[in-house]
Amino acid sequence: MSGSTLAIHGGTPVRSHYLPYGKQVIDEADIESVVQVLQSDFITTGPAIEQFEAEIARFTGAKYAVAFTSGTAALHGACYAAGIGAGHEVITTPMTFAASANCILYQGATPVFADIDPLTYNLDPKRVKEKITEHTKAIIPVHFTGQPAELDEIHTIARDNNLVVIEDAAHALGAQYKSKSIGSISDMTMFSFHPVKHITTGEGGMITTNNPLYYEKLLQFRTHGITRDQRRLTENHGPWYYEMQFLGFNYRLTDIQASLGSSQLKKIGSFIEKRKQLAEFYTKELSSIEEIVLPHQLSYMDSSWHLYILKLQLSKLTAGRKEIFQALHKENIGVNVHYIPVYLHPYYESLGFQKGICPVAESCYEQFITLPLYAGMDDHDAADVVDAVKKVISHYSIHSRRE
Ligand SMILES: *Cc1c(COP(=O)(O)O)cnc(C)c1O
């Protein structure tokens, strides 16, 4: 296999059909759960929402959970509940999806990017500390690829500076930090149910928290800022009466989606197990390739393996990341790149952010390639990914002899 002509040069691809990098796994029980809701009295904000919230709270070990229309909406809600507003700075990582920082802008505050650790690619607590000012209000760590960030150090910094910690755990449903479940640890934690994540509701998200005040604010924020709670009304005109007390949004998940979420959550154990097995297989099969660096896992982290990322050692390769990416695509392996550092996007540049803020993240971005990883992959799919990586990397290795 390693010696054969690359598909990009006219050879036969490793696979005959395309393997995506991520994809949902939907079974008959999932479909049935949605049909049941469609035949019931409530298709939105009915019993399925509360049930799904209770199940996520139980699974993560949090006291409360509040469902939102997306992970992004959930982050927006968390920033509101944390009291983040104009004049505040919020520290986050650049190695993430734009939503982790956009939620700060939604609230009129300023995102501050701290650089990542070169081994784990997670927020580096030393760099976070350097970014603290009198305006800092919160820290939003992201559990990149599913391996938790350094939460103890981050919490120490937060305690010393009176900051709120909101975890972006879009990658980390089912992950553990020092044997504690992600979702039970910080002030608030966000999960996403986008189809490439561990479980899906189509679109959807959740905030978990142990704090009843945050819980109340999150509930009200996702429904226009409206409350019907007798204890909190300032007047009462009659049984129909409700009050809009601040500017909220309609961020309510439907019962159709929540029911799918509950059905998906029943399979979370096997989904994570499958992802772990695939990651172990990649690590075993690829560890001898000196041109790539495999994901580094810390002993006290238990990753839920949302992504498996290779870091190319470009000095040992005769082609750049783009050629290698394209060559793998031609082998029908749907590799991806996570992430373009957030502040390099044109919108962030228009706000004044410039290249060079986080050199480690920028250099990682140049070298990263994400391999396919999802619970619906079988052994053949995984073997194809390994074969294609070996084929392409050996072709472009500086050691390879070319005719
Ligand atoms: C998916 C994701 C989000 C956003 O979640 P949506 O449900 O797509 O809105 C935020 N942060 C990270 C790191 C993500 O991967």
Side-chain angles (χ1 to χ4, degrees):
M1 180 57 68
S2 310
S4 56
T5 308
L6 299 187
I8 202 169
H9 297 149
T12 310
V14 165
R15 285 173 71 84
S16 57
H17 60 286
Y18 183 76
L19 180 72
Y21 95 90
K23 192 179 150 189
Q24 70 279 10
V25 178
I26 303 283
D27 66 13
E28 282 303 319
D30 293 329
I31 294 167
E32 183 50 36
S33 74
V34 169
V35 171
Q36 272 179 17
V37 171
L38 289 172
Q39 290 168 337
S40 76
D41 289 338
F42 296 97
I43 58 172
T44 194
T45 324
I49 294 290
E50 276 179 34
Q51 187 185 326
F52 185 41
E53 289 173 337
E55 287 165 355
I56 289 285
R58 200 176 319 127
F59 179 72
T60 59
K63 281 210 180 82
Y64 310 101
V66 181
F68 283 84
T69 48
S70 67
T72 304
L75 279 173
H76 188 187
C79 287
Y80 171 82
I84 294 165
H88 290 144
E89 294 172 1
V90 178
I91 300 171
T92 190
T93 169
M95 186 48 70
T96 185
F97 183 60
S100 316
N102 291 350
C103 59
I104 303 162
L105 294 174
Y106 296 158
Q107 285 301 108
T110 304
V112 173
F113 296 98
D115 212 347
I116 58 172
D117 178 281
L119 276 181
T120 62
Y121 318 138
N122 267 323
L123 208 45
D124 183 340
K126 290 192 293 296
R127 302 285 91 84
V128 171
K129 218 168 174 176
E130 292 165 4
K131 298 285 183 182
I132 303 279
T133 73
E134 58 185 314
H135 305 293
T136 311
K137 176 72 180 172
I139 308 173
I140 305 183
V142 177
H143 306 309
F144 185 65
T145 71
Q147 173 166 237
E150 296 283 7
L151 289 175
D152 279 352
E153 282 91 335
I154 289 168
H155 279 251
T156 302
I157 297 168
R159 213 172 307 122
D160 292 348
N161 296 279
N162 197 22
L163 310 177
V164 180
V165 177
I166 302 168
E167 296 173 35
D168 177 336
H171 296 185
L173 183 64
Q176 298 209 325
Y177 174 84
K178 298 186 178 174
S179 304
K180 282 183 281 196
S181 290
I182 292 298
S184 66
I185 304 169
S186 294
D187 296 295
M188 287 175 270
T189 301
M190 178 280 275
F191 297 99
S192 164
F193 310 123
H194 179 277
V196 299
K197 307 288 162 65
H198 290 83
I199 63 167
T200 191
T201 58
E203 297 281 358
M206 192 81 76
I207 297 291
T208 60
T209 182
N210 294 322
N211 182 323
L213 296 176
Y214 290 148
Y215 175 62
E216 296 288 333
K217 283 186 182 169
L218 291 163
L219 286 176
Q220 199 168 344
F221 184 80
R222 79 161 174 203
T223 186
H224 311 275
I226 287 173
T227 184
R228 292 175 180 277
D229 186 340
Q230 295 286 334
R231 295 163 300 158
R232 296 178 36 237
L233 296 175
T234 58
E235 297 176 38
N236 198 343
H237 305 175
W240 65 88
Y241 189 67
Y242 61 85
E243 278 178 1
M244 181 193 143
Q245 298 176 326
F246 60 83
L247 187 61
F249 289 76
N250 179 353
Y251 278 162
R252 296 186 303 260
L253 197 71
T254 65
D255 272 43
I256 306 165
Q257 294 167 298
S259 176
L260 176 58
S262 290
S263 179
Q264 287 261 298
L265 190 61
K266 292 198 178 98
K267 292 164 281 217
I268 185 74
S270 65
F271 286 173
I272 291 172
E273 194 47 43
K274 183 71 200 182
R275 285 172 174 273
K276 284 183 177 169
Q277 281 171 10
L278 290 164
E280 270 170 35
F281 177 74
Y282 285 159
T283 298
K284 180 164 71 70
E285 297 294 320
L286 301 175
S287 61
S288 61
I289 305 178
E290 60 172 286
E291 292 84 358
I292 54 180
V293 178
L294 303 183
H296 182 79
Q297 299 299 297
L298 299 175
S299 61
Y300 48 94
M301 308 290 190
D302 185 16
S303 176
S304 54
W305 287 104
H306 170 54
L307 301 174
Y308 193 99
I309 291 182
L310 303 181
K311 190 164 134 195
L312 303 174
Q313 304 260 64
L314 293 173
S315 62
K316 296 178 181 172
L317 291 158
T318 60
R321 191 258 311 267
K322 193 167 164 186
E323 285 97 325
I324 291 168
F325 181 96
Q326 285 167 331
L328 286 164
H329 263 250
K330 288 289 183 194
E331 303 295 338
N332 276 323
I333 304 299
V335 290
N336 208 326
V337 172
H338 297 90
Y339 287 97
I340 302 156
V342 174
Y343 61 79
L344 296 182
H345 286 290
Y347 181 71
Y348 278 82
E349 286 182 336
S350 81
L351 299 179
F353 291 93
Q354 286 173 349
K355 214 175 159 96
I357 303 172
C358 298
V360 179
E362 289 177 24
S363 127
C364 284
Y365 166 58
E366 299 297 330
Q367 301 167 77
F368 278 178
I369 285 192
T370 307
L371 299 184
L373 182 67
Y374 58 94
M377 282 174 65
D378 64 21
D379 293 351
H380 291 290
D381 298 327
D384 286 345
V385 174
V386 165
D387 286 347
V389 169
K390 286 182 174 166
K391 181 181 174 186
V392 169
I393 296 294
S394 72
H395 178 87
Y396 289 117
S397 167
I398 50 169
H399 304 304
S400 81
R401 249 175 276 138
R402 305 239 215 119
E403 54 273 39

